[in-house]
Structures are given as C-alpha cells and as structure tokens.
Amino acid sequence: MPARAWDVEYLTELQRVMRVLNAGVDQFVGEQRSELIVELVETGIILEERLDIPVRRLLRQKFLLGLFDNLFLDPDAAEQVDVNSYFVRLGTEAQRKVYTLLKNEGEILPLRYLSDAKFYVEGVNSTLLEERGLLVVTTAEEADFALVRLQAPYEPRPGGFEPAYHAGSLEYNATEKAHQAKSIRQCQLL
C-alpha cells in the first residue's frame, strides 16, 4: 500500500521525505522506502551529517535504557521477571485504576451482601466470580446483577492497514443497543 500523502500529494516522494526530515522527525516507523533517504544523501540534497542528529538522539535513549549493556538475554532471569508476583500486582493495580464508574444509583456499590446474589456475566470470565463463591447464572432474567464487558464500537474500514484499527463512529448499532437495554431492564447493570 503506498504511503498516504495528505495535503502534499503534489510533492514528489523525495520532497515529502525532505519535508518530514525538516519537520524534525527522527524515525520513520514502518517505512519501507529507506532508499529515498539514501537518494537524498547521494544527490547532495541533504548532508549525511544531517542524519547523525536523529541517530544520536535515538541511540542516546537506547543507551539510557540500558539496551546495549548486556546483549545476551538470560532466559531464566527473564522468566523470573515475567512471573514476578510484585510486577503482576503492579500491573493488576494499574488495570483497576482505569475503570470508570458511570452510575451508582441507590449506592449499590460497593456490593456488600453477595451471599444470595446471582450474577449474569457477558464478556467476563465467569470462573473468576465462581472462584470467589459467587453464583453465576446463564440469563439476565435470572440475575440480580449483570457484569457486562463491552467492546468499543467502530466502523470497519477497507484497505491497507485500516482494518487493523477501530475507527469511525463510536455509537453502538441498533442490535447492540437493544441487547444492552434488555440487560439493563432485567437486572441492575454494573
């Protein structure tokens, strides 16, 4: 797929790359046309020394991160970091901080009396609740509470890399709206 050239379609590819460099871009991510930069240097349009500036900035960050201190990874040490309970706890805490409570009508939260409560779950692993002694039911009609994890809405886009990203309208379609409304009517939605 050719690179997009929004509002500079009139420029040649070389002129576009030159403009990007002049704008201060240090790194062309995902770019497959490195020969354009080589051509700019070989034709004398830019000096090779001009490219030393972003190279120094990028390498400085990598050295500060210690990426070149030890080039050989110890798989056993990596596994210890990967399964480190402290890091897992920090990650879990970070994930909890991103939840947003939209409503708390009747101050239902935090849930205090759960021993007899029935939960309908959708988009959530039910075993996580069952392991905590909570009763999970298969329909919203049977439930006192519904825990629903929704995927963000989007409009599928054709071509190139756009299908890999969610873009467009953030409005749920009519079918999903009806499904959500039914779940809300049938039990308290959390």
Side-chain angles (χ1 to χ4, degrees), residues 40-64:
L40 286 170
V41 172
E42 288 177 348
T43 58
I45 296 173
I46 64 168
L47 297 175
E48 190 171 345
E49 292 78 26
R50 164 63 182 87
L51 300 178
D52 290 341
I53 296 166
V55 169
R56 279 192 197 99
R57 279 196 290 249
L58 291 166
L59 285 174
R60 181 177 189 274
Q61 294 304 314
K62 293 177 185 291
F63 276 105
L64 287 173

Side-chain angles (χ1 to χ4, degrees), residues 18-138:
M18 185 66 201
R19 185 170 280 197
V20 170
L21 288 171
N22 286 338
V25 169
D26 287 344
Q27 184 173 359
F28 289 77
V29 179
E31 179 57 49
Q32 303 298 317
R33 301 291 311 279
S34 55
E35 72 272 6
L36 296 171
I37 296 173
V38 172
E39 186 177 340
L40 286 170
V41 172
E42 288 177 348
T43 58
I45 296 173
I46 64 168
L47 297 175
E48 190 171 345
E49 292 78 26
R50 164 63 182 87
L51 300 178
D52 290 341
I53 296 166
V55 169
R56 279 192 197 99
R57 279 196 290 249
L58 291 166
L59 285 174
R60 181 177 189 274
Q61 294 304 314
K62 293 177 185 291
F63 276 105
L64 287 173
L65 289 170
L67 297 179
F68 299 109
D69 293 348
N70 183 357
L71 299 178
F72 300 100
L73 175 67
D74 176 359
D76 295 330
E79 188 172 311
Q80 291 306 312
V81 170
D82 184 47
V83 297
N84 183 304
S85 62
Y86 172 72
F87 295 144
V88 170
R89 184 175 57 80
L90 289 179
T92 301
E93 287 174 12
Q95 289 178 25
R96 282 191 182 120
K97 289 179 182 179
V98 301
Y99 289 122
T100 302
L101 177 62
L102 299 177
K103 278 199 239 182
N104 193 12
E105 291 179 6
E107 295 188 27
I108 199 160
L109 294 176
L111 296 173
R112 290 182 182 87
Y113 307 102
L114 300 177
S115 59
D116 297 328
K118 297 178 212 157
F119 290 86
Y120 168 73
V121 297
E122 192 174 301
V124 178
N125 185 342
S126 63
T127 59
L128 298 173
L129 279 77
E130 292 166 343
E131 287 171 354
R132 289 167 175 76
L134 301 175
L135 177 60
V136 177
V137 294
T138 56

